Amino acid sequence: MSNIILYLFYFFTFYAFLPGIISRLFGFRVFKRGLSDTEISLTFDDGPDPEHTPRLLDLLKKHDVKATFFVVGKHAEAQPDIVERMHREGHSIGIHNYSHRSNWVMRPKSVARHVRMTSEAIERMTGEKPKFYRPPWGIMNLFDFASRSRMQVVLWSAMPGDWRVSTGAKKIENRMMKSLKGGEVYLLHDCGNTFGADREAPRNTIEALERFIPAALERGFSFVRVDDLMQSTAKAKSKAKREAGPIRKTIVGAWLLWERAFHALFRLESAIPGDSKSFLFYRVTAYHGQTVPLPGGETLRSGDKIVELHMNNELLYEFGRKARSTLQLAIQLIRAMERTMPQLAASVLQRSDAPSIKAVVGTSMVNRGVEQFGFTVVELPKGLFASATRLYLKCLLSVIHPQGKDRLGERSEMLIPKMIALSSTELIRRYGEAVSEVAAGEVEATNGHMA
């Protein structure tokens, strides 16, 4: 008998108690509070209710407030029109099990069945599969962590205790105002038809919200769905990672010093003569590498004279530091290339040794989309050079990219350094007219200066 009791104790501890404590206290693998100065989220559990939920939706619509509803599956099936209205009016809909039963008293298979049945019901009514899950009472078991890859678990950061009538509307309002700050996720209820709740309690919740919502809006707060708050939180974390602390500043400073030393050591020339802020630098050297077919039937061979291309990593760092997203960084890179390529062509083609230059060649992890500028992309042969180049460029990417080192684990198969090559013939064909314009502009500027 004692062994059975001990077994039950261990089972309850590891299956239910510890996962619940870890998730609630430390936020492990759950979302419970956002990072935002002004955005807050209202979340409602246990509904929909045929009386209280429509009144609540009326109030939210009046103030153009968006919220998140964690619905009980059997309640949703009984009130499909209300669920459809939630979706139609722009609210987010998550899962609160099919019936309001604790995950501590259900097997993993039973929890999965509850989630699946509720998900299917919501999808039938709205046409969208729900992405968020809140277990009843916020109680998680060990296997809820494993299901996180399929659905994000959402808890809360503020709980006014609105499920009992005795709490009263004024006390609910006061508690919500006391905890009012950016990133807050409020746990509220639009249905009292569950174990431990009072059927008429949502009346107090709605009455409290009638005063709380205008007061929060007047203070400059905005009400957003949980998924929107999560996006704002991700952006805030990304920005925080980009902000250079003392150690990061030291590392970046040392790296930029090395970049300048590298430019001096190898005598790199700016694509725009005299401009140290040019996006592209280069040097003329001999090519040592594999044979590369170039457009137009030409071939680049070891020993050929080339323009070895180098991006301005200091400028890249500035782009990455200021960019708010990966897309914005990509747009900045494309525009920088568009501005600089004609200048590079003018600088190269006006050299006395230009006729002997076979191609413009570079090695970069930023190689997607360079075909639009005439470059051919070539895989680097496996070996020490490719490995060392990849290590260096990954370190560089972790510094310049807006998402920092997190980006290295995201689609890492695409973060591979490759050689890009542009034949001199293609350089002239694409940028010959631009070279003439650049040269004419230089002559005009010189004449103006002499005058």
Side-chain angles (χ1 to χ4, degrees), residues 288-309:
H288 299 288
Q290 62 183 337
T291 300
V292 177
L294 298 171
E298 297 183 80
T299 303
L300 178 63
R301 294 182 173 86
S302 183
D304 287 341
K305 185 181 286 188
I306 61 167
V307 168
E308 185 180 86
L309 206 57

Side-chain angles (χ1 to χ4, degrees), residues 55-102:
R55 283 190 57 212
L56 174 61
L57 289 172
D58 290 341
L59 175 63
L60 299 178
K61 186 176 182 179
K62 175 183 176 182
H63 294 284
D64 193 25
V65 165
K66 305 305 177 188
T68 302
F69 290 85
F70 291 94
V71 301
V72 173
K74 66 179 184 179
H75 294 170
E77 288 184 334
Q79 307 294 333
D81 292 345
I82 297 178
V83 176
E84 290 170 8
R85 180 184 172 186
M86 290 175 184
H87 176 70
R88 187 171 61 251
E89 295 182 358
H91 303 291
S92 180
I93 304 174
I95 295 171
H96 201 48
N97 279 358
Y98 186 77
S99 61
H100 202 276
R101 294 175 61 192
S102 170

Side-chain angles (χ1 to χ4, degrees), residues 38 40 42 176-177 180 186 209 211-223:
T38 60
I40 56 179
L42 299 177
M176 294 184 73
M177 291 300 299
L180 178 59
Y186 287 94
L209 288 172
R211 294 188 293 269
F212 172 75
I213 290 176
L217 291 173
E218 188 175 344
R219 293 191 182 190
F221 290 93
S222 59
F223 294 87

Side-chain angles (χ1 to χ4, degrees), residues 25-256:
L25 292 183
F26 304 104
F28 179 68
R29 290 199 169 186
V30 302
F31 181 78
K32 55 185 291 187
R33 193 178 193 285
L35 290 177
S36 174
D37 293 331
T38 60
E39 294 181 342
I40 56 179
S41 286
L42 299 177
T43 68
F44 299 93
D45 288 5
D46 300 353
D49 180 272
E51 177 187 353
H52 302 305
T53 307
R55 283 190 57 212
L56 174 61
L57 289 172
D58 290 341
L59 175 63
L60 299 178
K61 186 176 182 179
K62 175 183 176 182
H63 294 284
D64 193 25
V65 165
K66 305 305 177 188
T68 302
F69 290 85
F70 291 94
V71 301
V72 173
K74 66 179 184 179
H75 294 170
E77 288 184 334
Q79 307 294 333
D81 292 345
I82 297 178
V83 176
E84 290 170 8
R85 180 184 172 186
M86 290 175 184
H87 176 70
R88 187 171 61 251
E89 295 182 358
H91 303 291
S92 180
I93 304 174
I95 295 171
H96 201 48
N97 279 358
Y98 186 77
S99 61
H100 202 276
R101 294 175 61 192
S102 170
N103 288 11
W104 281 5
V105 298
M106 291 196 292
R107 297 174 301 164
K109 187 176 181 179
S110 299
V111 175
R113 180 168 53 83
H114 272 241
V115 171
R116 186 188 71 252
M117 291 170 63
T118 309
S119 177
E120 290 172 352
I122 294 171
E123 189 173 8
R124 283 195 306 271
M125 299 170 200
T126 67
E128 289 187 10
K129 184 174 292 187
K131 300 177 181 178
F132 304 110
Y133 174 61
R134 175 177 286 168
W137 295 289
I139 294 174
M140 299 178 64
N141 63 46
L142 184 63
F143 292 92
D144 288 329
F145 289 147
S147 66
R148 182 177 179 267
S149 60
R150 300 188 299 274
M151 198 159 291
Q152 172 67 56
V153 176
V154 177
L155 297 183
W156 59 85
S157 57
M159 182 171 58
D162 69 329
W163 59 87
R164 301 305 300 267
V165 169
S166 59
T167 304
K170 188 60 180 177
K171 186 175 290 186
I172 294 171
E173 179 193 355
N174 291 341
R175 289 174 178 176
M176 294 184 73
M177 291 300 299
K178 186 176 181 180
S179 60
L180 178 59
K181 52 185 176 291
E184 210 71 54
V185 178
Y186 287 94
L187 167 64
L188 300 162
H189 299 80
D190 62 323
C191 178
N193 191 24
T194 54
F195 178 76
D198 293 333
R199 187 177 294 275
E200 297 303 318
R203 290 182 182 273
N204 291 333
T205 302
I206 296 170
E207 183 181 338
L209 288 172
E210 286 173 346
R211 294 188 293 269
F212 172 75
I213 290 176
L217 291 173
E218 188 175 344
R219 293 191 182 190
F221 290 93
S222 59
F223 294 87
V224 299
R225 300 165 14 150
V226 161
D227 51 339
D228 293 325
L229 183 58
M230 291 177 69
Q231 287 185 8
S232 299
T233 300
K235 290 178 181 178
K237 288 182 177 180
S238 177
K239 181 180 179 181
K241 289 179 181 179
R242 294 201 308 271
E243 295 296 330
I247 296 177
R248 184 179 173 87
K249 283 182 178 178
T250 302
I251 294 172
V252 171
W255 170 67
L256 293 179

Side-chain angles (χ1 to χ4, degrees), residues 279-280 330-342 367-376 420-423 426-427 429-431:
F279 180 62
L280 297 175
I331 291 172
Q332 287 180 315
L333 295 178
I334 291 171
R335 288 176 177 171
M337 283 290 286
E338 289 174 342
R339 289 192 301 267
T340 313
M341 281 302 295
N367 49 56
R368 298 185 67 195
V370 295
E371 294 88 350
Q372 65 183 293
F373 301 105
F375 286 93
T376 297
I420 59 175
L422 172 67
S423 69
E426 185 67 11
L427 184 70
R429 189 186 73 80
R430 283 178 172 264
Y431 302 104

Side-chain angles (χ1 to χ4, degrees), residues 258-311:
W258 156 247
E259 284 292 317
R260 292 168 190 152
F262 179 88
H263 278 224
L265 180 65
F266 290 95
R267 298 180 180 179
L268 300 185
E269 300 180 47
S270 172
I272 305 175
D275 186 358
S276 62
K277 293 293 185 180
S278 171
F279 180 62
L280 297 175
F281 286 77
Y282 72 95
R283 67 168 180 157
V284 176
T285 185
Y287 172 68
H288 299 288
Q290 62 183 337
T291 300
V292 177
L294 298 171
E298 297 183 80
T299 303
L300 178 63
R301 294 182 173 86
S302 183
D304 287 341
K305 185 181 286 188
I306 61 167
V307 168
E308 185 180 86
L309 206 57
H310 296 267
M311 290 184 182

Side-chain angles (χ1 to χ4, degrees), residues 354-373:
S356 62
I357 295 174
K358 192 65 171 288
V360 178
V361 178
T363 302
S364 177
M365 204 175 285
V366 187
N367 49 56
R368 298 185 67 195
V370 295
E371 294 88 350
Q372 65 183 293
F373 301 105

